[in-house]
Structures are given as C-alpha cells and as structure tokens.
Amino acid sequence: MSKKSVLTPQPVFPTVEENIHYLKEALFHTDDLVRQKVSIPGQTSEFLFMHSMCDQSKIREEILKPILQQKDGDLEELLIAMRANKHGDLEQVIDLLVKGNAVLFIEGMEDCFVIEVKASHVRNVAEPNNEKIVEGSHEGFVESISINLQLVRKHIENRNLVVKRYKLGNETKIEAVIVYLQNLANPKLIEEVDLRIQNIDADNITSSEFIEEYIEDTSFSPFPQLLHTERPDRVIGNLLEGRVALLAEGSPTALIMPVTFFAFYQSPDDYSFRSVQGSFIRFIRLFSFAIAICLPAYYIAVVSFHYEVIPQDLLLPIKSSIEHIPYPPILEALFMELTIELLREAGIRLPGPVGQTIGIVGGLVIGDAVVKAGLVSNAMIIVVALTAIASFVVPSHEMSASVRILRFPVMIAASLFGFFGIVYSVMIILIHLCILESFGTPYFAPAAPFRWKDWKDTIIRFPQWALKQRSNDPAPQKLDQQGSSGEEQQNDD
C-alpha cells in the first residue's frame, strides 16, 4: 500500500532537445525508448515512442508517410487530421508514452502532439473454457477492455448504458470501468461502488481479481461476494436486473455486484432450456451443494457413532469393508479428499492432454491400489467420488472452491460429535449466510429475508411470461420488466 502521489506539472520546453532530454531522464534512459527525426521543411522536429509498446506499421503509415507527403499547407491541421492530441504537460506525456503513444516535438512550439500507435495483440472472441454451455451465445470476453465493452453495447443499444472509467494502481495504472444502466441501477449502489474503488490506494493492481479483495464486504468469509464471469450474456442479464459490472484491462473476467448465494448456482443454460428442464438442472446444482458439504461427514458420523441407521442388508458389507482399516474414518476421509485435491491441482497445472491422463489414470490407479492395500474402504472411495462430482457441478469456480474448503471442518465436527456435529456445523454455515451482505444486499436473499415473489427465479425458474418483475435484491429503480399481456395470452390458451 502507498499514498497516491500527485506529480508537479512540467510545461513543454521551447526546444526539442530539452524535451527529449527531460523524457529520457524521467524514463531512466530505458533502451526501448526510440528517438527518430522527421523531415519537415523549415522546422526541427523529432518524435519518440516505446519500441516495445508501439506498432511499427502504424508509425510508418500514420505518422511518417503523411508528414513526408505534406508539400504545403498547415502542419498542425495535418496532425489534427491524424487524430493527434495537443498536450502541454510533459508529466502527462510520459504516462501516454508508456501506454503506446508516439510523441512529436516541433521546435519553438509550446505544445507537443501525441498520436496513438499502440500495438494490439488480442486473442479472438471465443467461448470461455470454464463456463461452457449447451445452448445460447458462445461469445466470451478477452483481455481488451474496448472489445469487452463492444460485446456489451452490441446487445444493449441503450442510451442509459453508462461506462465510468478509473485508473488504478500507483505503479501499474491499470484501466478499469464500471458498467450499469442509469435508469435501473440504484443510485446508492453506484455511489457505494464508486466510493470503494476510489479508496483503493495500492501500487500493484493488475486484474479485476485484485480489485475484488479491496471492494468486497467480508474478506475472510469462505463465500465469494462478487460473481466472476467471462460471458457477455451473463453480464447483460445482470445489468438488466439493476446490477453493476466491473471490467479491467488485461483481464477477461467481469465482476458483478451485488449478488446472492443463489446467483452462483444459476447458468445461462437455465434460460436457454424451457422452464421445466431449466428448473430441474438448477435444483440438481443446489442439491449438489448439500452433497458436497455433508456426504463425507455423514459417512464418518454413521460409521463412527450411528451405525444403527444403516439398513440391515448393508450392515455386513460395510462392516467387512472397514473392519481391516487400521485408522479411524476421519483420517481415511482426509487422506482421500486431499488426494483428490492433489490430482485436481496436478490436472490443472500440467499441459492439457497430460493433465487429463493424470486425472483419469491417477484416480483409477491410486483408488484401486489403496483399496487393495487395505488403507481405504470401498465405501469411502464411493463417497469421495460422489463428493468430488457434486463439487464440480457448481457453475462458478469460486463457489466450487468454497464448497471444497467447507467440507473439511464439517468432517472434523462429524468425527467428534456425530450427527450433532453435522447439525451444528450446518447451522453455523446458515447463520453466516444470513448475516453476510454484498454491497448492502442480504447474501441469502430471498430465503433470508424471505421474499416469496423472488422465488420464481431462485431454486426453480418460472416461464419467462411469469417473471413480470425483476429481483428485488439489487433494489432496482424499476421492478416491472414486462406487461401482463404474456400472462393473459397463456390464460387464453
């Protein structure tokens, strides 16, 4: 952390040599600062640019060629036609220079001309690997903030769509924007988001994920309070509900605020399918939350304390499976859960084909070997496999990581107190969800506080004609989002 510094303005010197000397000193004579003379009849002129940041073809076509072809006429008019901007402060010029602009100095002029010739290396717009869907749009954000804004504006051609820019990081000076609909987003929400971003005072801000930790409500909560997405359609849907999106240069991830717990279990696929299919898939995802947290703990509690709940037909097979295990079920579960986490992390870090091979072959080989060695029971292998599958069902990677972390304290509580430990652990999680907030919005809404109208698009999704009002979670300025004609048409049918 550091205090924001304000540099003293430095006017442009009357001579070219003084200006170039000042810029070289300010940039510590870096080797990628290129100095080049320009032949202008009757005038001494030179321009500077950062070789590592500028496009050489743009310099030739947009600076050198037009100036060399200028036979007569006003040079200043030519530069204006080249979209060159006048600047009289060398400190501002330095910031523009390191961002990929060329600076032209002309002897005797009180201003210099800055021309944008930044090199752009942007990957193609493609579907995000971590948010794949079956139906719907397959566009995804890239690392360029201008392209990301274009993807949003392409679908919301509305004068109310507002973009507000920020410069973050005292050393990195990254560009970030918030996007919202002026006629829908709550003014208090916009003011709060703006205040939190303005209060960021740090040297190192390189992506939207860095910004998240500075503006979220509770940093030490296991649950994410901002929704990460690389999908333009998901951002658009949330903007139309009155929420705010944050984008940063160099990062394809958008942050959506405020959000609730149930938003992390929703996917664009829910709205691409019909309401019955979409509701069923969403219910499966929410059910997976309970499985991922409680299933290993339930197995530990049953085997350690409450074996009387096991059906009689299963009692002997389970007993024969665990009677030769040399340590208690909690150590058995921790060993397998940590092994699954190691395999998962190895699969991510290794190259694609190798990572898939490690995940599949490693899981099969280790699972079979530990059972034959008598280190883990067959039942525990099944429990751990079902738990891993349930944790991967979550559409949000951040929520999936939270679920994987929470299962460990629940398992420890179950090993100490049995079913009572599970109940108390779940109660603590629910209490935490009820008191948590995201930019003033209750995190566990519409369950706490209970709002029955918002349940139409929470665990199940009603048909589109029945969703006449927006969710009340972000407190939008306008709740109604459609008339009653759709419902009347359904009643007539």
Side-chain angles (χ1 to χ4, degrees), residues 273-443:
F273 296 130
R274 296 174 64 246
S275 61
V276 176
Q277 292 91 331
S279 299
F280 174 74
I281 295 172
R282 185 179 293 180
F283 177 78
I284 291 296
R285 294 197 203 102
L286 287 166
F287 184 64
S288 71
F289 174 76
I291 295 176
I293 289 182
C294 296
L295 184 58
Y298 179 81
Y299 174 81
I300 293 170
V302 167
V303 172
S304 302
F305 299 98
H306 310 283
Y307 55 86
E308 67 274 3
V309 303
I310 303 175
Q312 189 173 0
D313 294 337
L314 289 176
L315 192 58
L316 290 177
I318 292 178
K319 180 179 179 299
S320 62
S321 175
I322 66 175
E323 63 180 352
H324 298 296
I325 304 301
Y327 38 77
I330 178 62
L331 296 180
E332 183 184 4
L334 288 174
F335 170 73
M336 286 307 301
E337 291 289 353
L338 291 174
T339 302
I340 291 293
E341 292 298 323
L342 288 173
L343 288 172
R344 177 186 171 278
E345 191 67 16
I348 293 174
R349 304 305 165 197
L350 290 172
V354 180
Q356 294 177 6
T357 304
I358 290 293
I360 297 173
V361 177
L364 292 174
V365 171
I366 292 176
D368 182 64
V370 295
V371 171
K372 289 183 178 179
L375 300 177
V376 178
S377 63
N378 288 318
M380 179 57 75
I381 294 290
I382 297 172
V383 169
V384 170
L386 289 175
T387 305
I389 293 172
S391 65
F392 295 145
V393 172
V394 187
S396 169
H397 176 74
E398 292 73 30
M399 183 59 75
S400 176
S402 300
V403 169
R404 296 200 307 272
I405 292 173
L406 285 172
R407 77 168 67 126
F408 289 100
V410 179
M411 287 164 50
I412 295 172
S415 69
L416 297 175
F417 307 106
F419 284 165
F420 295 101
I422 297 176
V423 172
Y424 287 132
S425 300
V426 172
M427 285 177 61
I428 292 172
I429 293 173
L430 290 176
I431 291 171
H432 178 70
L433 287 172
C434 291
I435 64 176
L436 197 61
E437 289 187 350
S438 174
F439 289 86
T441 296
Y443 192 72

Side-chain angles (χ1 to χ4, degrees), residues 62-128:
E62 298 183 14
I63 298 180
L64 296 177
K65 189 175 179 180
I67 292 177
L68 294 175
Q69 292 177 348
Q70 178 76 0
K71 301 298 183 182
D72 51 7
D74 190 357
L75 177 63
E76 189 170 340
E77 292 183 359
L78 173 64
L79 293 172
I80 293 174
M82 294 163 54
R83 300 187 302 278
N85 297 315
K86 273 187 175 184
H87 286 274
D89 183 7
L90 289 179
E91 291 298 332
Q92 293 182 1
V93 169
I94 292 171
D95 290 338
L96 295 170
L97 192 63
V98 298
K99 291 178 181 177
N101 295 276
V103 183
L104 177 63
F105 293 103
I106 300 176
E107 190 79 20
M109 291 195 67
E110 296 180 353
D111 297 310
C112 61
F113 295 90
V114 177
I115 308 167
E116 184 179 352
V117 286
K118 184 177 181 179
S120 58
H121 305 285
V122 182
R123 61 186 174 92
N124 296 327
V125 175
E127 185 176 16

Side-chain angles (χ1 to χ4, degrees), residues 118-148:
K118 184 177 181 179
S120 58
H121 305 285
V122 182
R123 61 186 174 92
N124 296 327
V125 175
E127 185 176 16
N129 291 325
N130 58 346
E131 291 183 272
K132 290 186 178 293
I133 62 171
V134 179
E135 296 183 7
S137 173
H138 293 280
E139 292 179 332
F141 286 137
V142 295
E143 286 73 16
S144 171
I145 197 170
S146 58
I147 295 178
N148 295 341

